[in-house]
Amino acid sequence: QASDHTVYTVHVSPFMQLDALTADRSVTHPLTAGNISFTNNRWLAKTSSGTGSTVRFSTNHAFQHVSSPSSQRDARLTLTSLSGNSSGRWQYDVISDVTNYAAGDGTATVQVSSKAPGTAIITMQVDFLTGTVATLRQGQYQLTVTGTISEN
């Protein structure tokens, strides 16, 4: 008598999802010396990775004038809230960062991570750093913040 067997394996890759819960936003500058804050920008992160995931948010550049990109203002990203399920063990890695366009640094990056599978709501503030009001060029300044989730 003889026998043999076949093992059937199904590999399930980790599921990761990151959703911006806040739509595109705009505001009119009051032409005062204060910075402009876009508050309560919420993101939903989900991961099924056994080792957790890292969520990174980065600007594509400093705030740039739409029709004259050489006219810029620095941007600050600040993570203001992180609420996740306790099983994920979510933590702040980099809470705040600022661009420095004058020194060639157009990227601000902030980051959170988890140690295990879980879900989190991440809230961020984006600041337009006004600088000298007299040198603000009339028109629109824009930047894009991109969020990325990856497995640890």
Side-chain angles (χ1 to χ4, degrees):
Q1 175 174 2
S3 69
D4 201 355
H5 70 277
T6 301
V7 175
Y8 297 89
T9 304
V10 176
H11 175 75
V12 178
S13 297
F15 171 80
M16 292 173 284
Q17 180 177 339
L18 182 63
D19 295 315
L21 302 178
T22 306
D24 293 352
R25 300 178 65 187
S26 64
V27 67
T28 299
H29 199 290
L31 299 177
T32 59
N35 298 328
I36 302 298
S37 295
F38 297 91
T39 60
N40 296 318
N41 303 287
R42 294 169 13 111
W43 297 72
L44 172 64
K46 297 179 181 180
T47 180
S48 70
S49 169
T51 56
S53 289
T54 296
V55 180
R56 177 175 290 147
F57 302 98
S58 295
T59 61
N60 59 334
H61 47 65
F63 276 98
Q64 287 184 347
H65 193 277
V66 172
S67 60
S68 181
S70 63
S71 183
Q72 301 181 41
R73 287 297 190 263
D74 284 314
R76 177 175 46 233
L77 302 182
T78 305
L79 297 174
T80 57
S81 173
L82 174 60
S83 59
N85 57 346
S86 59
S87 62
R89 300 192 318 267
W90 291 89
Q91 67 183 26
Y92 293 104
D93 298 327
V94 179
I95 293 178
S96 186
D97 193 18
V98 180
T99 64
N100 184 353
Y101 73 88
D105 177 13
T107 304
T109 301
V110 292
Q111 180 176 296
V112 300
S113 62
S114 69
K115 302 281 188 209
T119 301
I121 297 288
I122 306 153
T123 307
M124 177 178 18
Q125 178 169 313
V126 178
D127 294 316
F128 175 94
L129 304 183
T130 297
T132 306
V133 175
T135 61
L136 273 177
R137 185 181 184 105
Q138 184 273 332
Q140 295 181 351
Y141 289 79
Q142 289 183 340
L143 65 69
T144 299
V145 173
T146 301
T148 305
I149 187 169
S150 58
E151 185 179 17
N152 290 341

